[in-house]
Amino acid sequence: MMQVVNPQTGESDPAEIRRVFDAQLATALAWRESTAAERIARLKKLRDAMMARREDFYAAFQKDYRKPSAEVEATEFMPVLDEIRHAIGSLKKWMKPTKVWPTIASALTSSWIEYQPRGRALIVAPWNFPLNLCFGPMVSALAAGNTVILKPSEMTPAVSAVMAEIIAATFPENEVALFEGSLPTSQALLDLPFDHIFFTGSPAVGKVVMAAAAKHLTSVTLELGGKSPVIVDETANLRLTAEALMWGKFTNCGQICVAPDHVYVHESVKDKLVAECKAVLAERYGVTAQEQRNSPHLARVINQRHTQRIAGLLQDAQGRGARVLTGGEVDVAACYIAPTLIEQVPQEAQIMSEEIFGPVLPVITYRDLDAVVREINAQPKPLALYVFSTDKARTRRLLARTSSGGVAINHCVLHYAQGNLPFGGVNNSGIGNAHGHFGFKAFSHERAVLKSGPILMAKLFFPPYTDFKQKLIRATVDILRLPKLF
């Protein structure tokens, strides 16, 4: 059943949201006993329905923000299909109880961990990858045996409409439902006592989601963002660095939570790196400003408001002395900002404290790597850190001295697509992990089970505490001070 949106307000009816939420309770309870085969069947239905609307998604992404069809395939379809493939191939293993060794205190018992569905899950998705970041977490939720309510972004209405049609045609509403709307719809959903909330978005909104979840002691996975720094030292392969950086920064018009935010480059190779970056941009998008503007390979900023925000960051930086190395053209009405590199950006510029989330890349020259590390550590922990270097010892030191959700060495962004790695932030950039087995566990309760053997060894520790028991307990504690034997 398609969920109806009020045409005057653009919001879903809170009463309808509550009705569907209540309807999913019986399903969530029944799905605690769901088999791997049943869960896999749901994933296959989702996969087939999604693939059947491939061309419709091309048109929807083009309408929402002129996203090239190749990027729709690579950054929207590919991650979701990989999640489905991974889950289908691994679900039986993931669901299997994990046996654990007994400890001294639990001698002569057996123990294991069971993976139980959390129950009713809410997934709140952003606009930058509206299909990937909505359906991707849903794959993990369904694999783990949960019911799902989806809330996509109102900023990509064409894509959201196609997703809503797919969900309505593929699942009964007591299994999976999708509600469209903006802040009022989100608030109506967050008021409900879900068993788990998976949110992708900004740290500021993540705090709101976490506060709402706290009212019901609902567990959360928060995939947030931050200013992901890049370090390019004097040993880096500059051509490969430029190719990776220009891809990671300007794909999806820079609207990627793990996009390179700013680059620290050693002074001895800065000019050559900039030259290589300019060459890559010319090869991919055109030599002249007009060619780049007309390039079918560049997406647009999501809307005029965000275009004005990014343009304001650029103008503020220029007003404080920053210099444009390439790009800089802005057309707010067309939601267009050229691929832009800037240098000589003072620390007090707004662009150095606010996540850019657009096609502007500050290039910062450094001489002392220790100073760079201090600057990174003085900021909130980012979602990603990128190191371009062929010095293995230096790279290891950088990883040891910094903290971030993830790291890529001599590449950027691609770690997101490695489904065997946990994807997530740390503190300000996120809580919890997603993808593959880590996504399955995010939507699962790891339930501890202990089974006693025929001899109840623990009776030796039960009252009354005779002298013998007192000595036995004391001796056991003393044994625990020794190194682990196995």
Side-chain angles (χ1 to χ4, degrees):
M1 175 181 174
M2 284 285 290
Q3 303 303 327
V4 178
V5 175
N6 186 314
Q8 275 76 44
T9 65
E11 304 299 332
S12 295
D13 181 2
E16 183 70 1
I17 291 173
R18 182 76 208 206
R19 182 187 67 77
V20 173
F21 175 77
D22 290 341
Q24 288 194 353
L25 177 58
T27 305
L29 294 175
W31 278 8
R32 287 179 181 173
E33 298 181 272
S34 59
T35 65
E38 291 169 337
R39 298 180 190 184
I40 287 170
R42 294 181 199 115
L43 295 177
K44 288 181 175 178
K45 282 201 307 179
L46 174 65
R47 177 194 63 195
D48 294 345
M50 179 177 153
M51 294 301 290
R53 301 295 298 272
R54 202 171 194 167
E55 299 295 329
D56 294 331
F57 274 118
Y58 287 173
F61 275 100
Q62 186 66 210
K63 183 176 181 180
D64 279 338
Y65 61 111
R66 283 186 56 178
K67 185 164 185 169
S69 58
E71 287 190 14
V72 175
E73 290 285 348
T75 66
E76 303 283 355
F77 273 81
M78 190 183 297
V80 177
L81 291 177
D82 195 38
E83 286 285 349
I84 294 173
R85 177 201 58 80
H86 197 171
I88 289 174
S90 306
L91 193 51
K92 289 182 180 178
K93 179 176 69 176
W94 293 347
M95 290 176 66
K96 188 177 180 180
T98 303
K99 292 183 179 180
V100 296
W101 281 96
T103 62
I104 291 176
S106 60
L108 300 184
T109 67
S110 58
S111 300
W112 63 91
I113 301 168
E114 293 184 348
Y115 297 92
Q116 188 175 53
R118 288 190 180 275
R120 291 175 288 183
L122 170 64
I123 296 171
V124 182
W127 50 263
N128 58 322
F129 292 101
L131 173 60
N132 175 0
L133 298 178
C134 193
F135 279 16
M138 177 171 62
V139 172
S140 296
L142 292 175
N146 300 272
T147 66
V148 182
I149 289 181
L150 302 163
K151 165 57 179 72
S153 172
E154 71 279 8
M155 294 188 194
T156 49
V159 175
S160 293
V162 178
M163 291 194 297
E165 291 166 5
I166 288 173
I167 294 302
T170 307
F171 298 102
E173 64 182 13
N174 67 329
E175 295 181 358
V176 182
L178 184 150
F179 288 98
E180 295 182 77
S182 58
L183 181 59
T185 297
S186 296
Q187 188 58 61
L189 288 163
L190 291 173
D191 285 341
L192 298 174
F194 282 93
D195 297 296
H196 191 71
I197 297 174
F198 190 108
F199 169 79
T200 306
S202 70
V205 181
K207 294 175 183 178
V208 174
V209 172
M210 194 170 184
K215 295 177 181 178
H216 305 290
L217 295 180
T218 296
S219 58
V220 296
T221 302
L222 303 178
E223 298 292 355
L224 307 177
K227 296 178 69 60
S228 297
V230 181
I231 299 172
V232 182
D233 77 5
E234 65 274 25
T235 72
N237 182 320
L238 297 180
R239 175 63 188 185
L240 294 181
T241 298
E243 289 179 348
L245 272 180
M246 296 302 93
W247 169 71
K249 181 61 181 180
F250 297 111
T251 295
N252 208 47
C253 201
Q255 299 164 123
I256 307 177
C257 59
V258 288
D261 186 89
H262 51 288
V263 179
Y264 296 101
V265 56
H266 192 271
E267 61 182 6
S268 65
V269 295
K270 176 256 183 180
D271 289 341
K272 187 173 181 182
L273 176 65
V274 170
E276 293 285 7
C277 289
K278 288 181 178 179
V280 170
L281 291 175
E283 292 165 9
R284 293 179 184 173
Y285 306 120
V287 175
T288 68
Q290 192 59 38
E291 286 174 341
Q292 292 187 0
R293 182 186 178 93
N294 294 333
S295 172
H297 311 300
L298 272 173
R300 292 294 183 264
V301 181
I302 188 63
N303 55 35
Q304 291 184 6
R305 179 170 64 86
H306 279 272
T307 308
Q308 288 174 329
R309 181 189 63 81
I310 300 165
L313 294 177
L314 180 58
Q315 291 165 3
D316 173 74
Q318 288 179 280
R320 297 174 186 271
R323 188 170 76 91
V324 173
L325 294 166
T326 188
E329 293 79 16
V330 175
D331 184 341
V332 173
C335 298
Y336 175 76
I337 296 178
T340 300
L341 306 179
I342 59 175
E343 67 171 353
Q344 298 174 9
V345 185
Q347 276 298 123
E348 63 270 18
Q350 293 176 15
I351 203 167
M352 294 308 297
S353 59
E354 181 177 328
E355 185 176 5
I356 300 169
F357 221 69
V360 180
L361 183 62
V363 178
I364 305 162
T365 303
Y366 79 86
R367 180 179 299 173
D368 179 8
L369 191 55
D370 289 340
V372 172
V373 171
R374 287 194 295 271
E375 283 189 23
I376 291 172
N377 287 336
Q379 302 301 317
K381 296 172 184 176
L383 187 54
L385 170 70
Y386 302 120
V387 178
F388 290 86
S389 173
T390 57
D391 187 326
K392 294 181 180 179
R394 180 181 293 162
T395 300
R396 286 195 298 270
R397 288 197 302 273
L398 283 171
L399 267 59
R401 298 173 62 196
T402 58
S403 177
S404 63
V407 176
I409 301 167
N410 296 324
H411 216 309
C412 61
V413 178
L414 193 63
H415 65 293
Y416 175 89
Q418 210 321 5
N420 291 317
L421 285 174
F423 179 79
V426 54
N427 296 125
N428 192 70
S429 55
I431 296 173
N433 291 309
H435 297 178
H437 191 206
F438 303 96
F440 170 84
K441 292 205 293 183
F443 285 98
S444 300
H445 168 56
E446 296 180 78
R447 192 181 198 186
V449 182
L450 181 143
K451 181 181 178 182
S452 178
I455 300 175
L456 203 64
M457 286 288 291
K459 288 177 64 176
L460 295 172
F461 300 99
F462 293 173
Y465 299 120
T466 63
D467 288 344
F468 170 75
K469 288 184 178 181
Q470 174 75 19
K471 291 176 181 179
L472 177 64
I473 294 171
R474 185 182 178 92
T476 303
V477 171
D478 287 340
I479 290 173
L480 294 175
R481 296 186 302 175
L482 300 174
K484 186 176 180 182
L485 300 178
F486 54 85

